[in-house]
Structure formats: structure tokens, C-alpha cells
Amino acid sequence: MLTAALLIIFPFAMAFAAASDLVTMTIANRVPIVLAVSFLALAFATGMPPAVIGLHFVVGLAALLVTFGCFAAGWMGGGDAKLVAATALWLGPTEAMTQYLLLGALLGGALTLGLLSLRSVLQPVTTIDFVDRLLEEKTGIPYGIALGFAGLAAYSQSAWIDLAVAGAI
């Protein structure tokens, strides 16, 4: 049961966040809430030491403070900020967290440049609402797409996957 939870919860949340940001330009609050609650439950269930859990919370809180500042400055959406913090909670002070931040920045930059390029040559005239919204110049960038993919990539290299694959739980 724990193996299934490790293989499903985080990846599904990342995929859901990316898809929902693409289609609606929002990431529902329930996504980071589910991630935070499930992290805590799985951390205890897998025998993560309390001190390590505490370090994961420190990294998550630091990420929340930084991304909330970015949100307040208008540089990112609130859903993106909460998603980064919840992802940081799961990844903690690890190489996977560094990988997540770097890949998220690179994918986000590519997504931004790609959408801006498309917006300069295409007009929003499709019959698909979310495509038209993406092509409008005033619309922001659905950065949750990049964060979702980066989260999936980093998670695949994390100790959580090592636990699940080894069946050591």
C-alpha cells in the first residue's frame, strides 16, 4: 500500500497541477494541501526520522517565503508559489530539490519564450477557450506546467522512488 501511495500521490498531483494550470490558469489549493498532508503521513509511515522531517519542513517554509515574495512582486502566481513550497516539502534538502529548481527554471524559461513567440505570430481565434486564452497577450504564463514536469523529473530521482522501487517499506 505504501509503495502504491509513493508511486501515485506525488506524480498525480504534479500532473494534475500542470494540466489544470494549462487549461484554467489556476492551481487549486487542494493540490498543495494534499501534497503537504500526504508528505507527513508517508514520512512517518516510511520511518523518516523526525529531525529529517523537520529539515523537509524548513526547506518547504523557505521555498514558501521566497515564492510568496515573488507572488507579492507579481512575478508568479499564488498557485505556483504554493506548489513550489509543497514540492520542496517532499524533496527536502536533497539533490532532487536542486534538480527541481534548476529544471523548473529552464523549463519555465522555455515555456515563456515559446508562448511569447507563439503570441507574436498567432491570434486567439480557435474554438478552444484555453488555447485562445494562452494566445492572448495579456494572459500570464501557466508556469505550473514547467513546475509539474520539473517535479516529476526530480521525484523520479528522489529517495521516495528508491524506497518504492526497492519495496523496502
Side-chain angles (χ1 to χ4, degrees):
M1 185 71 159
L2 286 176
T3 299
L6 290 172
L7 293 174
I8 293 170
I9 295 171
F10 186 91
F12 179 79
M14 290 292 109
F16 181 83
S20 108
D21 207 16
L22 171 66
V23 175
T24 67
M25 296 293 293
T26 59
I27 299 171
N29 286 334
R30 67 180 168 265
V31 175
I33 290 170
V34 164
L35 284 171
V37 170
S38 62
F39 163 78
L40 194 54
L42 289 169
F44 281 116
T46 59
M48 185 180 285
V52 175
I53 293 171
L55 288 173
H56 278 253
F57 271 95
V58 167
V59 172
L61 180 61
L64 182 62
L65 291 173
V66 170
T67 57
F68 184 75
C70 292
F71 167 70
W75 300 336
M76 73 184 320
D80 300 328
K82 291 177 275 188
L83 183 63
V84 169
T87 303
L89 178 62
W90 272 76
L91 298 177
T94 65
E95 188 176 319
M97 181 63 193
T98 304
Q99 183 182 24
Y100 171 67
L101 293 173
L102 179 60
L103 190 55
L106 292 173
L107 291 174
L111 175 67
T112 300
L113 290 175
L115 272 177
L116 292 177
S117 296
L118 281 174
R119 289 174 183 172
S120 71
V121 295
L122 297 176
Q123 296 299 313
V125 293
T126 70
T127 58
I128 305 169
D129 289 340
F130 82 90
V131 173
D132 284 345
R133 186 172 37 254
L134 286 173
L135 294 175
E136 291 175 7
E137 288 184 25
K138 297 177 202 159
T139 301
I141 304 297
Y143 210 80
I145 298 168
L147 296 174
F149 280 103
L152 289 170
Y155 188 72
S156 73
Q157 303 298 313
S158 74
W160 293 107
I161 291 297
D162 293 343
L163 279 173
V165 170
I169 49 175

